[in-house]
Amino acid sequence: KFGVFPFQSSSDKDVMLNILSVLTDLLSLGTGRRIHYVISKGGSEALLQALVTAARTEPPDHSILLPLLRLLARVGQRDGKFGLKVQKAEATDLILSLARRNLGHHLHLIHCLWVLRVCASNVTTGTTLGINGAMELLFKVITPYSKRHVRTVRAAIEALAALLKSKSNSRQAANRGYLDGLLRLYQDWHYNDVSNNYIYIRRGLLLCLKHITNIQLGRETFLASRGMEILFTSVQDCLSCKNLDPIIAIVTQILRKCYPKEPLPVVTVRSSYSYPLPGNVKAEPPCEGSEGKWPNDGEEEAEKDLDNEDVESKEEDCDLETDVNKLRPRSVLDRPEEELGQYEALCPELSHNFQELESESEEQKRLEDRIESLPLTPSHFMPSATSVKHPNYQWQNQNVMEIEPNTGEKDFKASVQSWTKEKCRWDWTDEQRDIAEAAQDADSCEEEDLAKGHVLALRPLPKDAAWYKKTFHPECEASINPSPGGRLESSDILTNLLEKHQEDIPFHSPRFYTARARSLKTIPDYKDLAFPDFWGHQPPPYSKPMLERKYGVQRDKVLDDVRRLIQPGDVIGRTVFDLDEPSHSSPGDPECLTFFSKFESGNLRKAIQVREFEYDLIMNTDVNSNQHHQWFYFEVRDMKLAVPYRFNVINCEKFNSQFNYGMQPVMYSVKEALQGRPRWLRAGHDICYYKNHYCCSAAAGGGVRGKCYYTLTFSIKFPHKDDVCYLAYHYPYTYSTMMSHLDILKQNRNPKKVYWRQQMLCQTLGGNPCPLLTITAMPESKKRDDLEQFYDRPYVFLMARVHPGESNASWVMKGTLEFLVSSDPIADLLRKCFIFKIVPMLNPDGVINGNHRCSLSGDDLNRQWLTPNSQLHPTIYHTKGLLYYLRSIGRAPLVFCDYHGHSQKKNVFLYGCSIKETLWQAGCMVDTAVITEDVGYRTLPKILDKVAPAFVMNSCSFLVEKSRESTARVVVWKEMGVLRSYTMESTYCGCTHGLYKVSKFLS
């Protein structure tokens, strides 16, 4: 019982020694639980008091002091308040005094150093020790390389490293020249320790350097002492020995941190594109600045060795909403009630006159006869998802996953993957007549475009005439026109290729895509069509596992970057593509790749050739913004065969990425496509994502500073010489792709079974139409009961792509639409039970102009749902208005779901809303008698967890955060009273769950 034992009496020496011996044995044999028990009973205080008493005895009795110091070092490691207890016991100076008195007695000294290290783990105590001369004392103990007293030297270095965690001590060390001394000591131990017997001493010296360089003064002193050159040179000797990984990891962290900060090599970090906002509204820079010239990133985040990261960071609970009144649903309107009447026109299904069905069918037949009389050319040939397979035109089934689907799935896949040359079933409406006439009268459209000066050209094809001759026909060679500016429709080679390959891409038509692309309203005034979007693509022919991360790849890339600074002899540093200054671009130069990104959804601002086969790439920020860099999509050509090209995207913003956990960018080869393999494929090796030395400066950011950037680096060997390839963050899905897909779905549905209505929800800020779809089943008959059942079906409201860079959301929406209009029995049942209101793309302007997150106003539209502006955020304003209208007539949706993509997690999961779960997670008391809640919000996720292979219930969350109060999910839940209001997140990367989990052992 420490509190009552008379430790203060020297006459009890034998008893004290016995007690200390027993304690030492118990704690050395026991687990941490025993030590915590001793701490909880006041053990630290009692031992410190005994130390003070024993140390003040003259002469000191080391037979008592040594076991006391051993116990204090052991207990202090587990006691989080040990440093404060040392100060309270007034033992700080006493421990230093003991160390000074025993400088010549290494056995006694090492015990004092152990306790000194534990005391210094508390920053306040460490600062006090530094002021009292602890660092000077330790430098007397730390010697150059020697095989004598190694344990003492190690203990001194570890104590010094603990002291230098204090910024005050680090500043003192830099000012007094200790950093230079540490570098010399490290060099001496490194070059003399040829057998690597003293790795722990070398590592300890590096930890001291790491802590000093956490402050700006430390980094400046490190650079002035040639620390970069010293550590870079020394680490080269370590790379071949895996036992030296602890050394390499710390050296890499120090080099990355101390690399001199630079602004991005752009004129301004704001977007290359700007758009004048209505009402003289100015988009304000959303970045928050700091006072310093550059951000002090030494202690900004925990330094990690990303070669060994398996645990994803957890969200902080402090963001949870705990005000019950703010969590309760509330019926409010953000506009005058009389405005809601305009949205009645967007619900024609509630007043449709089905007495006109017969006359509509007659009109349909006349239009079909008109189509049948047209000449059968590629411009009129379309896939039919519901027709019978033709023996001469059949899509070969190549499932991505080798699994046996159920009967319904098999029938549906067969219908999607069958192609015929039958006449197309058109369902003509006012919105579609212009597209249909464009298909019928292509030549007149071309003449009209020429007169208006609006000409769209397909990007030039590979410059390889011999390849064309070998791949296709000798007669095609003469018609090749690979030079820029050739008009798409006048190219004979394209006509031949369309005839040869048009049956390969389900639900896609190059002619329809071109017709839709012509009508785009874009800021850069695009003149070119990217080949993958024009041509389309097939799914990959086989399943592919996520990339297994190569051990040590990050440190290798960081060291390669540091080599630019240390050994700049092979650095070229030439700009080969620049949106801001096109004259700096180098098209056609045989010594470098050629880049291009001025097409729909394209994003690449600048490309700099660093070395012969290495390029730094800079993404463009969102329009009217100076941030949001993630999405990239660009063309590259003039490559050599079998050469690994390294690409560094140097202005990423997120602190981590799935590129560190198996994700790869995607690549599309034009030569592969023209050989009958039009596919986006995961590509690249040596992929990693890490913090770099670029920052947002005041000059570039218009006063905004303090932002650090990250590098995504990957290497690619292109499949063909002089090919044209496209690289993207994720599988692109453009606005024109969506619109042409809707055209094809509309004409291929069965109009007798599928009610389809496509309307314009509104025009976007940039003047592009935002479509609204209504899909349900046609009534069984015109009988009253069947019509009432039709009108009374509950609504399901779906929408996607509010964030332009989340192209995976559009692919999920594409699958949703194809399934809903298919002949699958489950799809038929869903149509009979529900009316689906769908906004397939909420942010067309952002998608068109290559944004990642914002609209043309520079705003994140998914943060505008509380008070959307009708001019700046029209798609959000009118979608919310439509939901208000449905609520006002008693038809609020049964389910609301907003499709998104997630860059930090794998699989597919939902975010929902729950009052009780939010309060429970925040640690609040929940009175179940006062707060009642329908748990039906969990029904849909549980169903998906059972039936959807990629869905993971454990990743779902039903918490309401303060930072998410203006999102669609939370606003629809609160203001519309929709219990089942969700955000559905789909991974950019892959699945670690269920049937879609792909083993690395699969070929």
Side-chain angles (χ1 to χ4, degrees), residues 701-715:
V704 176
R705 43 188 153 177
K707 180 167 60 176
C708 298
Y709 294 108
Y710 294 77
T711 291
L712 161 64
T713 182
F714 56 92
S715 298

Side-chain angles (χ1 to χ4, degrees), residues 9-167:
S9 173
S10 60
S11 62
D12 294 331
K13 177 180 176 180
D14 293 338
V15 177
M16 187 182 297
L17 286 172
N18 288 332
I19 290 292
L20 292 176
S21 176
V22 171
L23 276 173
T24 302
D25 292 341
L26 285 172
L27 296 184
S28 62
L29 294 173
T31 61
R33 185 177 299 175
R34 286 188 181 181
I35 298 176
H36 285 298
Y37 181 78
V38 170
I39 294 169
S40 69
K41 297 301 180 182
S44 299
E45 293 88 338
L47 290 170
L48 284 167
Q49 187 60 48
L51 176 68
V52 170
T53 302
R56 288 173 180 169
T57 304
E58 288 294 342
D61 190 340
H62 288 96
S63 64
I64 293 177
L65 281 174
L66 293 185
L68 266 174
L69 290 168
R70 274 197 301 270
L71 279 171
L72 281 168
R74 188 169 182 81
V75 172
Q77 285 182 320
R78 300 296 184 109
D79 190 345
K81 298 181 179 179
F82 187 75
L84 297 176
K85 292 175 182 178
V86 170
Q87 287 187 297
K88 188 175 181 182
E90 298 180 348
T92 309
D93 291 339
L94 187 144
I95 295 169
L96 274 178
S97 177
L98 282 173
R100 287 191 182 98
R101 291 166 63 177
N102 289 283
L103 281 174
H105 197 298
H106 289 276
L107 177 62
H108 299 168
L109 178 60
I110 195 171
H111 287 74
C112 297
L113 295 175
W114 288 341
V115 177
L116 194 63
R117 182 193 64 190
V118 176
C119 294
S121 61
N122 177 274
V123 175
T124 304
T125 309
T127 302
T128 303
L129 287 167
I131 293 171
N132 293 339
M135 288 192 292
E136 292 88 338
L137 171 67
L138 292 172
F139 269 100
K140 292 179 181 179
V141 181
I142 303 171
T143 64
Y145 176 81
S146 172
K147 295 183 179 180
R148 297 184 61 201
H149 310 304
V150 174
R151 289 183 67 207
T152 307
V153 173
R154 177 183 181 180
I157 291 173
E158 290 174 349
L160 180 61
L163 283 170
L164 290 171
K165 289 181 180 179
S166 159
K167 288 185 178 180

Side-chain angles (χ1 to χ4, degrees), residues 797-800 802-803 842 860-868 875-876 879-880 883 895-900 911-913 963-984:
F797 205 106
L798 308 176
M799 60 187 199
V802 70
H803 294 146
L842 266 173
D860 179 347
L861 292 183
N862 201 35
R863 296 297 186 274
Q864 309 303 321
W865 278 79
L866 274 177
T867 54
T875 61
I876 305 301
T879 302
K880 188 177 182 183
L883 287 163
V895 174
F896 171 88
C897 191
D898 184 12
Y899 292 11
H900 282 255
Y911 290 135
C913 302
S963 59
R964 303 291 191 272
E965 66 175 356
S966 58
T967 60
R969 164 179 61 99
V970 177
V971 170
V972 172
W973 173 67
K974 280 186 185 179
E975 297 188 12
M976 315 301 169
V978 177
L979 176 69
R980 299 170 184 84
S981 179
Y982 305 107
T983 297
M984 184 167 71

Side-chain angles (χ1 to χ4, degrees), residues 238-253:
C238 305
L239 296 176
S240 59
C241 180
K242 194 161 186 178
N243 290 336
L244 297 178
D245 280 354
I247 301 288
I248 301 169
I250 301 177
V251 169
T252 304
Q253 291 170 8

Side-chain angles (χ1 to χ4, degrees), residues 1 141 265 383 405 411 539 565 669:
K1 298 183 178 178
V141 181
D411 292 343
L565 182 70
S669 163

Side-chain angles (χ1 to χ4, degrees), residues 641 667 669 672 716-721 723 725:
L641 182 64
M667 181 182 74
S669 163
E672 286 289 304
I716 285 183
K717 289 184 179 180
F718 293 103
H720 300 280
K721 178 185 176 183
D723 196 359
C725 291

